[in-house]
Amino acid sequence: MSHPRMIQIASGKGGVGKTWFAITLAEALAGMNRDVLLFDGDLGLANVDVQLGLAPKHDLGSVIAGRVRIEDAITTYEIPSVSGAAGGLKFDVLAGKSGSGVLSALTRTEIAAIARNLVSLSARYVHVVIDLAAGLDQSVLALCTPGSTTLVIVTDEPTSLTDAYAFIKLLTLQEPQADIRIVVNFANDREHAWRTHAALSNACRNFLGFNPPLAGFVPRDDLVRDAIRRQTPLLFRHPQAKASEAVRRIARDLLLPLPAQEPVKAARGQD
């Protein structure tokens, strides 16, 4: 396959910009004329629809309650064209249950059923971007589907790196051949991003036996905060922002073959 169909956005802890990145990546992929579904997989505290200013008629809560089928809970989010004319970019959104923890009570079996439904839905799309919940809860791992590409969002904070390592360890125990890549957010510059990535990849190499590659980095950019505050996608509101170009670059690179990694002696998935 020349591109990852299922793209999971994960982090070990909250506050690293994971949901914003998932939304902006979906926007970037849509801008490359690809059919995209963005799924809010934070079953405890969904907020993709809030960041987009979207008020869907149905959400995942409606599906769980049995009121609609999962495909009927999908809402199309259309981004106006710059000129204001029709024909702007668009991508589909499957929202969670905003402001409610009701979905966090689902069993692992129920969550696995949602994951299977997502895999079935993926046949309709070129990409499905899944915004996973932050943390190490088993419900997060239950939503991870084999064969997906997982982008782990980190910052240079020690807690972000240690929690990201813990998430990667658990995911590789569940799926030893998982395609895991790192995105450094809030980077000061390229060198800062490489240092942050090295701190995490060295731990993975020493204890898990593999080097998760750097998928890219997003520089600090006050325009990101402005877009979130105005509930507007960044690439539409600030197309020339440094963070916008960074996410577009990551999206383009996702479509390229992943370079082969050098073999590492340690057994992957072991500590």
Side-chain angles (χ1 to χ4, degrees):
M1 179 180 292
S2 60
H3 62 265
R5 184 177 298 275
M6 307 286 286
I7 305 171
Q8 299 166 164
I9 313 301
S11 67
K13 67 182 292 292
V16 299
K18 175 182 56 60
T19 296
W20 166 82
F21 180 83
I23 291 171
T24 310
L25 180 65
E27 183 188 9
L29 292 169
M32 299 165 68
N33 296 318
R34 292 171 175 264
D35 293 327
V36 178
L37 172 65
L38 173 61
F39 171 64
D40 194 338
D42 189 339
L43 303 182
L45 194 61
N47 63 5
V48 162
D49 54 335
V50 174
Q51 286 202 27
L52 286 173
L54 191 63
K57 183 178 180 180
H58 298 293
D59 55 27
L60 190 59
S62 304
V63 177
I64 300 301
R67 292 192 292 271
V68 298
R69 299 175 302 171
I70 191 168
E71 55 266 35
D72 296 327
I74 293 173
T75 301
T76 298
Y77 180 83
E78 187 161 359
I79 305 170
S81 62
V82 175
S83 64
L89 300 178
K90 61 183 180 180
F91 55 88
D92 285 349
V93 176
L94 180 53
K97 189 72 173 177
S98 296
S100 171
V102 63
L103 299 182
S104 63
L106 295 176
T107 67
R108 187 180 177 93
T109 299
E110 290 172 323
I111 296 171
I114 294 173
R116 289 193 298 272
N117 283 331
L118 278 177
V119 173
S120 297
L121 278 177
S122 70
R124 304 182 181 186
Y125 298 92
V126 179
H127 304 286
V128 176
V129 178
I130 304 172
D131 179 30
L132 296 171
L136 309 175
D137 191 271
Q138 285 298 311
S139 63
V140 178
L141 294 174
L143 203 53
C144 294
T145 56
S148 300
T149 293
T150 302
L151 301 182
V152 181
I153 313 300
V154 301
T155 70
D156 65 355
E157 294 181 8
T159 52
S160 172
L161 294 171
T162 56
D163 289 355
Y165 169 80
F167 170 82
I168 291 171
K169 177 182 177 181
L170 292 175
L171 182 57
T172 55
L173 287 172
Q174 175 174 294
E175 186 186 355
Q177 300 305 316
D179 176 11
I180 302 171
R181 314 181 196 185
I182 308 303
V183 174
V184 178
N185 199 13
F186 306 136
N188 295 331
D189 51 36
R190 183 179 299 275
E191 183 179 352
H192 179 211
W194 277 107
R195 290 199 306 269
T196 302
H197 169 256
L200 178 57
S201 64
N202 287 342
C204 291
R205 182 181 65 249
N206 292 335
F207 298 108
L208 304 179
F210 82 112
N211 296 306
L214 179 64
F217 71 93
V218 182
R220 294 182 183 275
D221 192 333
D222 291 339
L223 295 178
V224 171
R225 185 183 300 274
D226 174 75
I228 294 174
R229 184 171 60 250
R230 296 178 183 274
Q231 298 178 292
T232 306
L234 178 71
L235 303 189
F236 169 68
R237 182 164 183 82
H238 300 294
Q240 304 304 320
K242 294 183 295 182
S244 294
E245 179 52 37
V247 178
R248 282 194 292 261
R249 185 182 302 113
I250 292 170
R252 291 194 299 267
D253 289 349
L254 274 175
L255 309 186
L256 301 175
L258 186 65
Q261 295 189 45
E262 296 181 1
V264 182
K265 291 183 180 180
R268 187 173 180 179
Q270 295 182 0
D271 194 358

mmCIF file of all heavy atoms in Angstrom, residues 1 4 9 12 18 38 52 58 65 77 86 109 115 119-120 129 145-146 151 163 179 186 194 201 208 213 236 270:
data_model
loop_
_atom_site.group_PDB
_atom_site.id
_atom_site.type_symbol
_atom_site.label_atom_id
_atom_site.label_comp_id
_atom_site.label_asym_id
_atom_site.label_seq_id
_atom_site.Cartn_x
_atom_site.Cartn_y
_atom_site.Cartn_z
ATOM 1 N N MET A 1 0.847 -1.193 0.000
ATOM 2 C CA MET A 1 0.000 0.000 0.000
ATOM 3 C C MET A 1 0.883 1.244 0.000
ATOM 4 O O MET A 1 1.851 1.332 0.745
ATOM 5 C CB MET A 1 -0.927 -0.013 1.231
ATOM 6 C CG MET A 1 -1.828 1.210 1.340
ATOM 7 S SD MET A 1 -2.894 1.146 2.817
ATOM 8 C CE MET A 1 -3.974 -0.212 2.388
ATOM 9 N N PRO A 4 -0.896 5.134 4.248
ATOM 10 C CA PRO A 4 -1.602 4.546 5.391
ATOM 11 C C PRO A 4 -3.081 4.918 5.345
ATOM 12 O O PRO A 4 -3.435 6.085 5.203
ATOM 13 C CB PRO A 4 -0.903 5.181 6.593
ATOM 14 C CG PRO A 4 -0.388 6.488 6.078
ATOM 15 C CD PRO A 4 -0.050 6.273 4.636
ATOM 16 N N ILE A 9 -3.834 9.011 15.987
ATOM 17 C CA ILE A 9 -3.095 10.092 16.630
ATOM 18 C C ILE A 9 -3.146 9.858 18.127
ATOM 19 O O ILE A 9 -4.227 9.844 18.727
ATOM 20 C CB ILE A 9 -3.689 11.473 16.283
ATOM 21 C CG1 ILE A 9 -3.944 11.584 14.767
ATOM 22 C CG2 ILE A 9 -2.767 12.574 16.761
ATOM 23 C CD1 ILE A 9 -2.710 11.398 13.904
ATOM 24 N N GLY A 12 0.971 10.111 25.179
ATOM 25 C CA GLY A 12 0.978 9.509 26.500
ATOM 26 C C GLY A 12 0.201 10.336 27.505
ATOM 27 O O GLY A 12 -0.355 9.809 28.458
ATOM 28 N N LYS A 18 -2.687 17.106 20.684
ATOM 29 C CA LYS A 18 -3.049 15.929 19.899
ATOM 30 C C LYS A 18 -4.303 16.148 19.060
ATOM 31 O O LYS A 18 -4.319 15.849 17.858
ATOM 32 C CB LYS A 18 -3.235 14.736 20.837
ATOM 33 C CG LYS A 18 -3.727 13.462 20.162
ATOM 34 C CD LYS A 18 -3.914 12.357 21.168
ATOM 35 C CE LYS A 18 -4.855 12.747 22.284
ATOM 36 N NZ LYS A 18 -6.223 13.092 21.807
ATOM 37 N N LEU A 38 -12.528 11.854 9.851
ATOM 38 C CA LEU A 38 -11.911 12.159 11.148
ATOM 39 C C LEU A 38 -12.817 11.620 12.237
ATOM 40 O O LEU A 38 -13.977 12.023 12.348
ATOM 41 C CB LEU A 38 -11.723 13.671 11.294
ATOM 42 C CG LEU A 38 -11.253 14.178 12.664
ATOM 43 C CD1 LEU A 38 -9.881 13.607 13.019
ATOM 44 C CD2 LEU A 38 -11.209 15.706 12.684
ATOM 45 N N LEU A 52 -13.970 22.416 16.109
ATOM 46 C CA LEU A 52 -14.398 22.763 14.759
ATOM 47 C C LEU A 52 -15.644 23.655 14.756
ATOM 48 O O LEU A 52 -16.068 24.103 13.685
ATOM 49 C CB LEU A 52 -14.691 21.493 13.961
ATOM 50 C CG LEU A 52 -13.478 20.685 13.497
ATOM 51 C CD1 LEU A 52 -13.928 19.360 12.875
ATOM 52 C CD2 LEU A 52 -12.648 21.480 12.497
ATOM 53 N N HIS A 58 -26.074 13.828 14.910
ATOM 54 C CA HIS A 58 -25.822 12.568 15.610
ATOM 55 C C HIS A 58 -24.330 12.442 15.886
ATOM 56 O O HIS A 58 -23.490 13.039 15.201
ATOM 57 C CB HIS A 58 -26.291 11.374 14.769
ATOM 58 C CG HIS A 58 -27.761 11.374 14.477
ATOM 59 N ND1 HIS A 58 -28.716 11.210 15.463
ATOM 60 C CD2 HIS A 58 -28.445 11.532 13.308
ATOM 61 C CE1 HIS A 58 -29.923 11.248 14.916
ATOM 62 N NE2 HIS A 58 -29.789 11.453 13.614
ATOM 63 N N ALA A 65 -26.297 4.176 21.561
ATOM 64 C CA ALA A 65 -27.673 4.068 22.062
ATOM 65 C C ALA A 65 -28.582 3.312 21.105
ATOM 66 O O ALA A 65 -29.725 3.008 21.451
ATOM 67 C CB ALA A 65 -28.235 5.462 22.323
ATOM 68 N N TYR A 77 -17.885 18.116 7.204
ATOM 69 C CA TYR A 77 -17.425 19.452 7.580
ATOM 70 C C TYR A 77 -16.832 20.097 6.334
ATOM 71 O O TYR A 77 -15.844 19.599 5.779
ATOM 72 C CB TYR A 77 -16.385 19.376 8.690
ATOM 73 C CG TYR A 77 -15.880 20.731 9.128
ATOM 74 C CD1 TYR A 77 -16.590 21.481 10.047
ATOM 75 C CD2 TYR A 77 -14.708 21.265 8.598
ATOM 76 C CE1 TYR A 77 -16.150 22.734 10.456
ATOM 77 C CE2 TYR A 77 -14.269 22.515 8.996
ATOM 78 C CZ TYR A 77 -14.991 23.245 9.918
ATOM 79 O OH TYR A 77 -14.549 24.489 10.300
ATOM 80 N N ALA A 86 -18.583 28.523 -3.628
ATOM 81 C CA ALA A 86 -18.792 27.112 -3.311
ATOM 82 C C ALA A 86 -17.591 26.302 -3.785
ATOM 83 O O ALA A 86 -16.807 26.740 -4.620
ATOM 84 C CB ALA A 86 -20.071 26.615 -3.975
ATOM 85 N N THR A 109 -14.817 -4.950 24.921
ATOM 86 C CA THR A 109 -15.482 -5.647 23.815
ATOM 87 C C THR A 109 -16.299 -4.673 22.969
ATOM 88 O O THR A 109 -16.286 -4.739 21.732
ATOM 89 C CB THR A 109 -16.407 -6.753 24.359
ATOM 90 O OG1 THR A 109 -15.616 -7.706 25.087
ATOM 91 C CG2 THR A 109 -17.128 -7.474 23.223
ATOM 92 N N ALA A 115 -14.120 -0.311 16.771
ATOM 93 C CA ALA A 115 -12.922 -0.361 15.928
ATOM 94 C C ALA A 115 -13.184 -1.169 14.662
ATOM 95 O O ALA A 115 -12.758 -0.780 13.569
ATOM 96 C CB ALA A 115 -11.756 -0.956 16.715
ATOM 97 N N VAL A 119 -12.995 0.046 10.680
ATOM 98 C CA VAL A 119 -12.278 -0.645 9.614
ATOM 99 C C VAL A 119 -13.199 -0.860 8.416
ATOM 100 O O VAL A 119 -12.795 -0.665 7.257
ATOM 101 C CB VAL A 119 -11.705 -1.978 10.117
ATOM 102 C CG1 VAL A 119 -11.117 -2.780 8.959
ATOM 103 C CG2 VAL A 119 -10.637 -1.737 11.175
ATOM 104 N N SER A 120 -14.443 -1.220 8.687
ATOM 105 C CA SER A 120 -15.402 -1.394 7.592
ATOM 106 C C SER A 120 -15.662 -0.074 6.877
ATOM 107 O O SER A 120 -15.717 -0.016 5.640
ATOM 108 C CB SER A 120 -16.720 -1.964 8.136
ATOM 109 O OG SER A 120 -16.526 -3.248 8.701
ATOM 110 N N VAL A 129 -8.595 9.229 10.003
ATOM 111 C CA VAL A 129 -7.753 9.792 11.061
ATOM 112 C C VAL A 129 -8.492 9.629 12.381
ATOM 113 O O VAL A 129 -9.618 10.110 12.536
ATOM 114 C CB VAL A 129 -7.445 11.279 10.801
ATOM 115 C CG1 VAL A 129 -6.601 11.857 11.938
ATOM 116 C CG2 VAL A 129 -6.735 11.450 9.461
ATOM 117 N N THR A 145 -6.248 -0.364 15.836
ATOM 118 C CA THR A 145 -6.496 -1.452 14.898
ATOM 119 C C THR A 145 -5.191 -1.916 14.266
ATOM 120 O O THR A 145 -4.347 -1.097 13.885
ATOM 121 C CB THR A 145 -7.474 -1.013 13.799
ATOM 122 O OG1 THR A 145 -6.956 0.149 13.150
ATOM 123 C CG2 THR A 145 -8.825 -0.681 14.392
ATOM 124 N N PRO A 146 -5.006 -3.219 14.131
ATOM 125 C CA PRO A 146 -3.783 -3.744 13.504
ATOM 126 C C PRO A 146 -3.609 -3.195 12.093
ATOM 127 O O PRO A 146 -4.576 -3.020 11.353
ATOM 128 C CB PRO A 146 -4.028 -5.258 13.494
ATOM 129 C CG PRO A 146 -5.004 -5.499 14.606
ATOM 130 C CD PRO A 146 -5.893 -4.286 14.610
ATOM 131 N N LEU A 151 0.718 7.883 14.921
ATOM 132 C CA LEU A 151 1.558 9.055 15.130
ATOM 133 C C LEU A 151 1.453 9.448 16.599
ATOM 134 O O LEU A 151 0.368 9.790 17.078
ATOM 135 C CB LEU A 151 1.109 10.213 14.245
ATOM 136 C CG LEU A 151 1.124 9.971 12.729
ATOM 137 C CD1 LEU A 151 0.687 11.233 11.988
ATOM 138 C CD2 LEU A 151 2.510 9.532 12.256
ATOM 139 N N ASP A 163 5.521 9.169 29.346
ATOM 140 C CA ASP A 163 4.195 8.610 29.094
ATOM 141 C C ASP A 163 4.067 8.122 27.650
ATOM 142 O O ASP A 163 3.386 7.126 27.374
ATOM 143 C CB ASP A 163 3.111 9.641 29.392
ATOM 144 C CG ASP A 163 2.959 9.913 30.885
ATOM 145 O OD1 ASP A 163 3.625 9.224 31.685
ATOM 146 O OD2 ASP A 163 2.197 10.831 31.253
ATOM 147 N N ASP A 179 3.239 0.097 13.203
ATOM 148 C CA ASP A 179 3.913 1.207 12.512
ATOM 149 C C ASP A 179 3.744 2.455 13.377
ATOM 150 O O ASP A 179 2.708 3.106 13.345
ATOM 151 C CB ASP A 179 3.296 1.399 11.128
ATOM 152 C CG ASP A 179 3.875 2.600 10.378
ATOM 153 O OD1 ASP A 179 4.897 3.153 10.836
ATOM 154 O OD2 ASP A 179 3.289 2.990 9.349
ATOM 155 N N PHE A 186 5.327 21.822 19.464
ATOM 156 C CA PHE A 186 5.883 22.958 20.210
ATOM 157 C C PHE A 186 7.407 22.987 20.154
ATOM 158 O O PHE A 186 8.081 23.307 21.139
ATOM 159 C CB PHE A 186 5.431 22.923 21.680
ATOM 160 C CG PHE A 186 3.951 22.833 21.878
ATOM 161 C CD1 PHE A 186 3.415 21.962 22.821
ATOM 162 C CD2 PHE A 186 3.075 23.611 21.132
ATOM 163 C CE1 PHE A 186 2.040 21.878 23.017
ATOM 164 C CE2 PHE A 186 1.711 23.531 21.321
ATOM 165 C CZ PHE A 186 1.190 22.670 22.258
ATOM 166 N N TRP A 194 14.820 17.304 16.912
ATOM 167 C CA TRP A 194 15.653 16.106 16.819
ATOM 168 C C TRP A 194 16.123 15.656 18.199
ATOM 169 O O TRP A 194 16.169 14.445 18.472
ATOM 170 C CB TRP A 194 16.854 16.367 15.911
ATOM 171 C CG TRP A 194 16.538 16.211 14.453
ATOM 172 C CD1 TRP A 194 16.410 17.195 13.519
ATOM 173 C CD2 TRP A 194 16.295 14.981 13.762
ATOM 174 N NE1 TRP A 194 16.096 16.664 12.295
ATOM 175 C CE2 TRP A 194 16.025 15.315 12.411
ATOM 176 C CE3 TRP A 194 16.275 13.645 14.148
ATOM 177 C CZ2 TRP A 194 15.733 14.340 11.450
ATOM 178 C CZ3 TRP A 194 15.981 12.677 13.184
ATOM 179 C CH2 TRP A 194 15.723 13.024 11.859
ATOM 180 N N SER A 201 13.420 7.994 21.164
ATOM 181 C CA SER A 201 13.830 6.872 20.312
ATOM 182 C C SER A 201 14.960 6.069 20.950
ATOM 183 O O SER A 201 15.035 4.848 20.779
ATOM 184 C CB SER A 201 14.239 7.365 18.925
ATOM 185 O OG SER A 201 15.369 8.199 18.995
ATOM 186 N N LEU A 208 12.971 -1.559 23.910
ATOM 187 C CA LEU A 208 11.947 -2.217 23.090
ATOM 188 C C LEU A 208 12.511 -2.796 21.804
ATOM 189 O O LEU A 208 11.850 -3.580 21.136
ATOM 190 C CB LEU A 208 10.814 -1.230 22.754
ATOM 191 C CG LEU A 208 10.122 -0.570 23.951
ATOM 192 C CD1 LEU A 208 9.035 0.387 23.472
ATOM 193 C CD2 LEU A 208 9.541 -1.626 24.886
ATOM 194 N N PRO A 213 10.610 6.224 13.901
ATOM 195 C CA PRO A 213 11.139 7.363 13.145
ATOM 196 C C PRO A 213 10.427 8.661 13.485
ATOM 197 O O PRO A 213 9.306 8.671 14.001
ATOM 198 C CB PRO A 213 10.882 6.957 11.689
ATOM 199 C CG PRO A 213 9.701 6.040 11.770
ATOM 200 C CD PRO A 213 9.858 5.282 13.056
ATOM 201 N N PHE A 236 -7.035 26.778 6.946
ATOM 202 C CA PHE A 236 -7.945 27.717 6.303
ATOM 203 C C PHE A 236 -7.739 29.125 6.835
ATOM 204 O O PHE A 236 -7.644 30.088 6.071
ATOM 205 C CB PHE A 236 -9.395 27.288 6.533
ATOM 206 C CG PHE A 236 -10.406 28.340 6.142
ATOM 207 C CD1 PHE A 236 -10.590 28.692 4.819
ATOM 208 C CD2 PHE A 236 -11.143 28.997 7.121
ATOM 209 C CE1 PHE A 236 -11.512 29.666 4.464
ATOM 210 C CE2 PHE A 236 -12.063 29.972 6.778
ATOM 211 C CZ PHE A 236 -12.249 30.312 5.443
ATOM 212 N N GLN A 270 9.629 -6.166 24.457
ATOM 213 C CA GLN A 270 10.069 -6.671 25.747
ATOM 214 C C GLN A 270 10.768 -5.558 26.503
ATOM 215 O O GLN A 270 11.247 -4.598 25.925
ATOM 216 C CB GLN A 270 11.012 -7.856 25.566
ATOM 217 C CG GLN A 270 10.317 -9.071 24.916
ATOM 218 C CD GLN A 270 11.236 -10.248 24.797
ATOM 219 O OE1 GLN A 270 12.403 -10.197 25.193
ATOM 220 N NE2 GLN A 270 10.738 -11.345 24.252
#
